[in-house]
Amino acid sequence: MMSDNKVTYQEVDFLLPAQRFNIQFSYVSQKGLPFIREFVLRLVHVAPMSKAHISTYFGLSRRETEEAISDLVLRGELTLSPDGRLALTDKSNGYFVEIGETPQLSTVQDSGATLSFDLATFSCFSNQNVQDKWKTGISLKVDDSNASQSEKLVEKHFQQQFNQILDKGYLSHLQVQGGKEQPSIYTVNSVNKLRQMPLRLTTEFKMDNDGKAVEREDYEHLNSSECVHELMAIEISRLLRPNNTMSIVKSMVSLNDENTLKLFDSKTNQLNPAFIKDMQALEEYSASGRTTFLGPIYAKNNWERLLRALAPVLSQRIKDKADHGGSHFIWIAPSDPYWSKSERFISSLSDFIHKSSTRDKRLYKPVLYVPVSDDVDSRAARQWKHELGPFHEHTKGLVEGLLDGNVEILHLEDELSVVIYHISQSETLPVTMPLGFITTNKKSVKIIGALITEYLKSSSGFDKPHDCGFLSSIVEKC
């Protein structure tokens, strides 16, 4: 995805700790006055006047005038001056901002709300943005004291941000008095923590025309993005991997892939985004059966590219009388700490699995392979089961090592292959850069298929197969 001379090369979800609170508070709101009361005060606000003037103006009887004025005097809103004219008191003068304006009376009311705040910047955000799942994302660590003292800190920030929270529409039930001025906070009566959950921050990593990283954009719903960027930098530093350019080049040779290498500047070894655009234009008007892309395969635009390439294959299989349940569609994950760290991954994996069959027949057998150390690596298997949820039933463990773990492959036997190189160049790019291609070229698909089959059927030692079986069986062994 390219915009403003910047191109997105990676998409990662970061999970910022947050909590939801029940907040009980009192607020001051403005409301209008009954008709006679309002207009008597408005008249006297323009200039002091006698009871007779008021009676004439409103067409009231002497008794009605006396009752209206007595009520306002008792309320402390009118006073009788020595010259017999009625004037406003200090109290009623406070109802007006300007001459001729409608008077507004301040009232204190009690209310409450359920609101969510992150535990880094204590920004209030919509409850609708939250899903209580600490999955498919990189968790950020905040100061322990922010969590332990959250109720006290939220009380302070709720008062400070009251107007902002109103503007965001999170307290819309307060704005019912019809006053021109917004309600204002009077006091916070109680703050009770309900539960903890993550605020998911979808982050695009971009590069400029020279293939160099550009500064990450701020988050609109956070009061301060700087603090969060610092927390991200800590995790990025922790996940740092050495430069793997030489390994990637060797993988390209193993896959007989000459085209991807052309996307790099021969002098700097850095990707040139302009070269990608040129290659995509050539591919569009050629019969090569190849489509180059940048970024994760599960990114929206890239996944749509894959579905377009897959559509005619599935359409033909639906028309066929034969059942294709024996045809494997394999997805091999790389050993990249940023792989799958996005909500988009789960939606794409769901696609991958659910498109495998119609009501009447199987179109292919979907299998996801994720990296494990060996067939008794129950710790990794449990973690993957947690991350993948119900989709773990279609997932096997694969001993790390295929193309040094730097390459992700999707392969539908005899039909289609996707190759994604996960490139680590930490000197210029803070996170890994997925770069790959989709191919329906029979020769390329055969080469890629042969490489996968050889690795899956081989072993790393006696009784240590690369294919470790389904995750559940790995967990049950221990």
Side-chain angles (χ1 to χ4, degrees), residues 144-348:
D144 289 342
S145 63
N146 286 4
S148 61
Q149 301 177 36
S150 61
E151 292 178 341
K152 184 177 179 181
L153 291 167
V154 163
E155 179 180 343
K156 181 183 76 171
H157 284 280
F158 176 73
Q159 293 182 79
Q160 291 175 347
Q161 299 175 42
F162 188 78
N163 289 338
Q164 289 175 260
I165 296 169
L166 274 174
D167 290 341
K168 290 176 180 178
Y170 302 158
L171 299 172
S172 56
H173 61 290
L174 305 190
Q175 302 180 43
V176 296
Q177 299 296 335
K180 291 187 177 180
E181 291 188 17
Q182 284 198 137
S184 58
I185 188 68
Y186 182 69
T187 186
V188 176
N189 302 317
S190 67
V191 177
N192 293 305
K193 179 175 65 178
L194 300 177
R195 66 176 181 272
Q196 183 154 320
M197 68 279 185
L199 172 60
R200 187 174 291 270
L201 301 174
T202 298
T203 305
E204 292 186 350
F205 290 84
K206 299 182 179 183
M207 62 172 66
D208 60 20
N209 287 334
D210 297 321
K212 295 179 180 177
V214 299
E215 190 174 331
R216 295 191 294 279
E217 295 176 0
D218 289 341
Y219 302 96
E220 289 184 3
H221 48 288
L222 294 182
N223 296 333
S224 171
S225 294
E226 184 178 352
C227 168
V228 175
H229 283 310
E230 289 174 2
L231 296 177
M232 289 179 181
I234 292 170
E235 289 305 305
I236 289 170
S237 177
R238 183 180 66 83
L239 298 172
L240 202 63
R241 294 293 185 271
N243 188 301
N244 64 358
T245 303
M246 290 307 298
S247 173
I248 293 292
V249 172
K250 289 179 183 177
S251 297
M252 291 176 185
V253 173
S254 299
L255 294 167
N256 199 28
D257 175 20
E258 298 175 353
N259 289 337
T260 304
L261 198 56
K262 297 175 184 177
L263 301 174
F264 291 83
D265 190 303
S266 58
K267 294 179 181 178
T268 63
N269 285 332
Q270 290 177 7
L271 178 74
N272 189 320
F275 292 174
I276 295 180
K277 197 173 181 182
D278 292 342
M279 183 170 286
Q280 287 173 335
L282 288 171
E283 291 167 346
E284 188 177 352
Y285 296 104
S286 72
S288 66
R290 176 185 166 116
T291 304
T292 298
F293 63 88
L294 178 64
I297 183 60
Y298 45 78
K300 186 175 184 294
N301 290 348
N302 294 337
W303 194 252
E304 287 173 355
R305 287 185 172 101
L306 173 57
L307 293 182
R308 282 197 296 271
L310 189 61
V313 176
L314 299 187
S315 178
Q316 184 58 48
R317 291 190 174 191
I318 290 170
K319 293 175 184 176
D320 289 346
K321 292 183 179 179
D323 187 279
H324 295 273
S327 174
H328 287 77
F329 195 171
I330 293 170
W331 187 346
I332 298 178
S335 300
D336 177 355
Y338 297 101
W339 182 81
S340 80
K341 303 305 183 186
S342 167
E343 269 191 324
R344 284 289 316 161
F345 166 70
I346 289 296
S347 64
S348 298

Side-chain angles (χ1 to χ4, degrees), residues 42-50 85-87 99:
R42 288 178 73 174
L43 272 176
V44 178
H45 185 234
V46 173
M49 58 183 61
S50 66
R85 292 177 179 272
L86 294 164
I99 295 289

